[in-house]
Amino acid sequence: MWECPPGRAAPARCGAVAARGGTWLPEMAPAVSRSLPARSRDRIRELAEPKKTACANDPRLVWGNQETIWTLSWRAVTAQPSPRTVALAKPKQDFGKNQCRSLFLYSCGRESTIWERPLLVDFGFPSDRLLKLSEPKKCQAAYLQQRPRQSPERPVSPAALSYKASPRILELARPKALHPEFLLAREVSKLAQEAIASPRTLELARAKRLHPDYVPLRDAEWPVTKAAKRTVATPRLVELAQPCRRPPMGAAQFNPDAFTVKETAKKATCSARVQELARPIKR
């Protein structure tokens, strides 16, 4: 909705806006732009201009012209690479040139099939790859120059050869001595051999005894006595020894009276306790 500014006389366009229901239309834009001050119009024109790119002053980049994005400085062009950079810049050696392997065209990510078995004549000779891998690792020249010695044996300095040990070091270097009263083999005296033990010593020398009423554990298997073999079983034992008789499963499944309610159960009277337990739980 467009409204006239307060404190100003309504121009002719206000009547046109009111005649159209007070709605802003695009054809009214030139009339409104003329009513804005000159400073606002300049600001709008400035904001309407497209944003300048950051690489406007840079050389134009063309895809595929083999040119660098930034121009190389004179120092970078005339710089000499170090031996380590030259060693890393060497391409990886291809050891598969002399191998006769057919390309596996219809593979899934593999360029060659499984290696075929070599001939027995050439099987005993190592390949160039095996000879290359069997070479020991070589140290770099810079490391050999900085290494203090060529042999793992360390030479003893003249100061260490002419050093005189202190009394404390000499004391610690001595081996541990035995006790002065230590004897390798002691002889038993005659008095000890002819000594007679007292009753108290004999009592203490006895092993610990079991209780008089102690009964040892019985073996899992023991022989049956003759009395047990001659025993005659009572009628009660014979009755208990009989196995439980159950009907066969085939006859039990087809029993027509299996779920028949007895007449006494039909005439039974329910007790008060059973009626109380039969009531559903109230939740």
Side-chain angles (χ1 to χ4, degrees):
M1 299 295 292
W2 185 86
E3 296 180 358
C4 296
R8 293 187 180 181
R13 63 176 177 274
C14 292
V17 172
R20 295 183 179 90
T23 306
W24 174 264
L25 297 177
E27 57 267 17
M28 300 173 61
V32 176
S33 61
R34 297 192 201 98
S35 63
L36 296 175
R39 184 176 182 183
S40 300
R41 290 197 300 268
D42 297 341
R43 179 58 178 167
I44 292 175
R45 292 173 182 173
E46 181 182 356
L47 294 175
E49 294 179 359
K51 188 175 181 181
K52 298 181 180 180
T53 58
C55 301
N57 299 327
D58 296 341
R60 184 178 180 182
L61 299 178
V62 181
W63 178 259
N65 58 358
Q66 302 296 329
E67 295 182 1
T68 58
I69 298 177
W70 304 101
T71 57
L72 299 177
S73 61
W74 179 79
R75 294 184 178 180
V77 174
T78 59
Q80 297 294 334
S82 61
R84 178 59 177 168
T85 305
V86 174
L88 294 175
K90 292 181 180 180
K92 187 176 180 180
Q93 186 177 357
D94 186 10
F95 295 95
K97 294 181 179 180
N98 300 328
Q99 295 179 359
C100 299
R101 291 185 295 171
S102 57
L103 294 179
F104 192 55
L105 300 179
Y106 303 100
S107 64
C108 184
R110 292 175 57 92
E111 296 182 357
S112 59
T113 59
I114 301 176
W115 292 7
E116 299 179 358
R117 178 184 175 186
L119 300 177
L120 298 177
V121 179
D122 301 335
F123 190 76
F125 299 95
S127 60
D128 298 340
R129 178 59 176 169
L130 294 178
L131 294 176
K132 181 66 177 179
L133 294 175
S134 62
E135 295 180 0
K137 187 178 180 180
K138 299 179 181 180
C139 300
Q140 299 182 5
Y143 171 74
L144 295 176
Q145 294 177 1
Q146 297 178 2
R147 191 168 61 175
R149 56 186 179 277
Q150 300 293 335
S151 175
E153 297 180 0
R154 298 184 179 182
V156 183
S157 60
L161 294 174
S162 59
Y163 176 76
K164 294 183 180 180
S166 60
R168 177 58 178 169
I169 295 178
L170 295 176
E171 182 181 358
L172 294 175
R174 295 176 183 174
K176 188 175 181 180
L178 299 175
H179 195 271
E181 299 180 0
F182 175 76
L183 299 176
L184 296 177
R186 297 183 181 181
E187 297 181 358
V188 183
S189 61
K190 294 182 179 181
L191 297 177
Q193 296 177 2
E194 299 175 357
I196 300 175
S198 61
R200 178 60 178 168
T201 304
L202 295 176
E203 182 180 358
L204 294 175
R206 292 176 183 175
K208 188 176 181 180
R209 300 179 182 179
L210 299 176
H211 195 269
D213 299 336
Y214 173 76
V215 179
L217 297 177
R218 189 172 59 176
D219 297 337
E221 182 180 0
W222 60 89
V224 183
T225 59
K226 295 181 179 180
K229 293 179 181 180
R230 299 175 183 176
T231 303
V232 179
T234 59
R236 178 59 178 168
L237 291 177
V238 174
E239 181 182 358
L240 294 175
Q242 294 179 0
C244 183
R245 297 179 180 178
R246 296 184 177 88
M249 294 299 298
Q253 292 179 358
F254 297 101
N255 186 10
D257 300 333
F259 300 98
T260 304
V261 183
K262 299 180 181 179
E263 296 295 334
T264 55
K266 294 180 181 179
K267 299 178 182 179
T269 304
C270 185
S271 61
R273 177 59 179 168
V274 176
Q275 291 181 359
E276 181 182 358
L277 295 175
R279 294 176 182 175
I281 300 175
K282 297 181 180 181
R283 293 185 175 88

